Amino acid sequence: MHILTQFGVGDYIYTFPTDAQVNYVCDFGKLKSYMAGLPGVHGGVSGLGTGRGIGAVGTVKVDLWLHYTGSTDASDKIDSLRQMQDWGLLPLYMQPEVGTPRFCWARLREAPLEQDVKGLPHIRQLFSLVFEVPDPFWYTAGVERLWDDGSAWDSGSWDGSSSAPSATTVTTSGSLSLTVGGKIYTLARMIIDNNSGADAREPKIQRIVNGDVVDEVQWLGTLADGEALEIDALRQTVIHVGSDGMADFELPLNPDWMRLYPGTNTLNCFITGAADFSVRWMERYV
């Protein structure tokens, strides 16, 4: 059975009791298909064409026992568990049956307290917790840089399992070949560093499948020497030297900006001038 191990990072961490979980439900595999029936016609028409369904807001539900040594211990453990509702959106960690731990971004929505004297609430208590997940996927670090000691994004590696990939210097045009793990598509974080000694303009990145451009992002601004640009498809942000760069961002070809699928992905890179291109991603599961 999948087991929740921890919620939160840094100063806000709750570690779930060992061998306490008795039930687990995750609905990330529940998709909206937007099917519509037509009068007098068998079946229906999909509003999504041939693409995958759209994920709703996800939920992770667990039932677990808290065991106490006495009334004081009961009060402390109940308070420690229910205070997670005050923490907002933080990583929720899960250990699958085998393999690397996974995480999602979750918020504790429900932690009701139901007590009955016959259930000996001063000795044990069954809790049913419900977490809501706005991005209904489980992640592993992939080649991203995540949290190590609870510090800010991009300051280290989560669980010591990832490192920054090497950048590729592109002069006018070039190509990147990326090998991605996980079980479903993930989203890229693309970084363009200009260390060429001159201006570089209008970087563009395309994902190619069978010779066709299926995803494309382009920024129409100029990178001076020493400047960097980050295009993050997961968060749908464009950062130029620490500031919002969306004003110069061309409308992407796909609503997901830049998808990466398990296996080999080919990205073609273009720029007027020269710059270093690198791509980071997390691996995704449902």
Side-chain angles (χ1 to χ4, degrees):
M1 183 168 69
H2 291 191
I3 300 295
L4 297 186
T5 58
Q6 178 180 308
F7 178 65
V9 291
D11 294 332
Y12 301 97
I13 292 178
Y14 180 84
T15 302
F16 291 93
T18 304
D19 299 326
Q21 185 176 306
V22 295
N23 186 55
Y24 171 91
V25 178
C26 173
D27 68 357
F28 294 0
K30 186 177 181 180
L31 303 179
K32 296 179 179 180
S33 60
Y34 297 100
M35 298 293 292
L38 297 177
V41 178
H42 291 292
V45 176
S46 172
L48 300 175
T50 60
R52 76 188 299 272
I54 302 297
V57 174
T59 57
V60 177
K61 303 177 183 179
V62 294
D63 295 334
L64 57 86
W65 285 99
L66 293 185
H67 293 272
Y68 316 126
T69 58
S71 297
T72 300
D73 187 46
S75 295
D76 290 342
K77 287 183 176 178
I78 291 171
D79 289 343
S80 294
L81 184 144
R82 302 188 84 197
Q83 72 176 343
M84 289 188 286
Q85 288 187 309
D86 194 46
W87 295 351
L89 197 69
L90 289 173
L92 175 66
Y93 299 88
M94 179 269 293
Q95 175 62 58
E97 286 87 347
V98 294
T100 303
R102 303 171 186 176
F103 65 94
C104 64
W105 283 273
R107 177 186 291 107
L108 181 58
R109 190 181 72 198
E110 298 178 26
L113 177 62
E114 299 180 10
Q115 294 183 322
D116 188 314
V117 67
K118 293 182 293 184
L120 304 177
H122 63 292
I123 296 177
R124 64 179 186 176
Q125 176 74 46
L126 180 64
F127 272 91
S128 296
L129 306 181
V130 179
F131 292 88
E132 63 179 6
V133 182
D135 180 28
F137 297 96
W138 291 106
Y139 289 90
T140 58
V143 296
E144 259 294 7
R145 298 182 65 189
L146 307 179
W147 319 272
D148 47 0
D149 56 356
S151 51
W153 175 269
D154 204 32
S155 65
S157 60
W158 174 66
D159 209 21
S161 60
S162 66
S163 58
S166 300
T168 297
T169 301
V170 173
T171 302
T172 307
S173 64
S175 181
L176 304 179
S177 180
L178 310 175
T179 302
V180 177
K183 292 298 182 183
I184 62 172
Y185 81 96
T186 189
L187 301 174
R189 184 164 70 99
M190 297 150 281
I191 303 159
I192 300 101
D193 283 305
N194 181 13
N195 298 302
S196 65
D199 287 352
R201 296 184 290 108
E202 300 183 356
K204 178 169 63 176
I205 301 175
Q206 301 173 332
R207 185 169 66 90
I208 307 299
V209 176
N210 297 325
D212 297 325
V213 178
V214 292
D215 293 333
E216 178 180 289
V217 293
Q218 183 173 17
W219 189 69
L220 301 178
T222 298
L223 291 173
D225 181 44
E227 291 187 347
L229 177 73
E230 176 189 279
I231 302 174
D232 190 333
L234 177 62
R235 290 162 183 77
Q236 296 205 336
T237 58
V238 179
I239 304 298
H240 174 220
V241 198
S243 300
D244 185 7
M246 287 292 292
D248 292 316
F249 188 56
E250 187 82 328
L251 186 67
L253 185 64
N254 185 280
D256 281 326
W257 290 21
M258 185 62 62
R259 298 164 293 174
L260 302 175
Y261 282 81
T264 301
N265 295 257
T266 300
L267 303 186
N268 286 346
C269 305
F270 305 89
I271 195 165
T272 301
D276 297 330
F277 285 69
S278 61
V279 181
R280 297 178 184 173
W281 65 89
M282 294 179 289
E283 296 172 354
R284 287 212 292 194
Y285 304 81
V286 291

